[in-house]
Amino acid sequence: MLGYAIVLASGKLERLQAVSNIASIAAASDVPVDVFATMDGLEAFDRDVVAGMDFEMGPVGRAMLEAEHMDMALFSENLARAKELGPISVYACELSMDALGKTLDDYEDVFDDVLGVSGFLGHAEDKQVMFV
């Protein structure tokens, strides 16, 4: 295994945060990580969604946002910072973007490229794949 390939399909805040934490810690440990944001996972990066903090979330997500004693970066910020620490790439799903008529300009500035599933699988072939 030469790292992790994470398929992020959920738009739920707790899962977004978990993926960004796992990917950041792996990258900081010099373990290569590829994150493929697709379906609702991609839509959570929409600039309007992030600006309005309009995420699906459960009680833990609400507590994370409301806790003043926790200095926690939002998932998009966390992934952007991780790129300064180690080998991490974040890809947007071409199919999801095409279905919604969007471009990378519609999303937070964290993506390295747009890929289809086959392109992502090429990046993932030597990595441990996780689906969230």
Side-chain angles (χ1 to χ4, degrees), residues 4-132:
Y4 298 100
I6 305 172
V7 178
L8 176 58
S10 174
K12 191 168 182 181
L13 182 60
E14 291 90 341
R15 292 179 183 206
L16 294 158
Q17 289 295 126
V19 166
S20 73
N21 289 339
I22 291 166
S24 296
I25 291 168
S29 301
D30 208 30
V31 175
V33 180
D34 290 324
V35 177
F36 183 62
T38 186
M39 307 298 174
D40 292 340
L42 176 59
E43 281 311 290
F45 289 87
D46 181 281
R47 291 182 191 276
D48 293 334
V49 172
V50 172
M53 300 296 277
D54 187 23
F55 306 110
E56 175 190 350
M57 68 184 89
V60 173
R62 280 189 291 282
M64 286 189 293
L65 290 180
E66 295 169 1
E68 293 180 14
H69 68 283
M70 294 179 69
D71 184 23
M72 182 182 64
L74 193 61
F75 62 91
S76 54
E77 298 166 12
N78 210 15
L79 289 172
R81 289 180 189 165
K83 292 181 179 196
E84 300 170 7
L85 302 174
I88 182 171
S89 297
V90 183
Y91 302 103
C93 175
E94 183 176 37
L95 178 66
S96 296
M97 289 174 60
D98 287 349
L100 295 169
K102 292 187 174 183
T103 68
L104 281 182
D105 292 335
D106 295 305
Y107 299 102
E108 292 289 300
D109 188 25
V110 68
F111 295 101
D112 295 292
D113 203 355
V114 176
L115 292 177
V117 172
S118 62
F120 180 72
L121 290 177
H123 285 274
E125 68 184 348
D126 60 347
K127 295 180 173 71
Q128 173 68 45
V129 177
M130 293 183 253
F131 188 89
V132 180

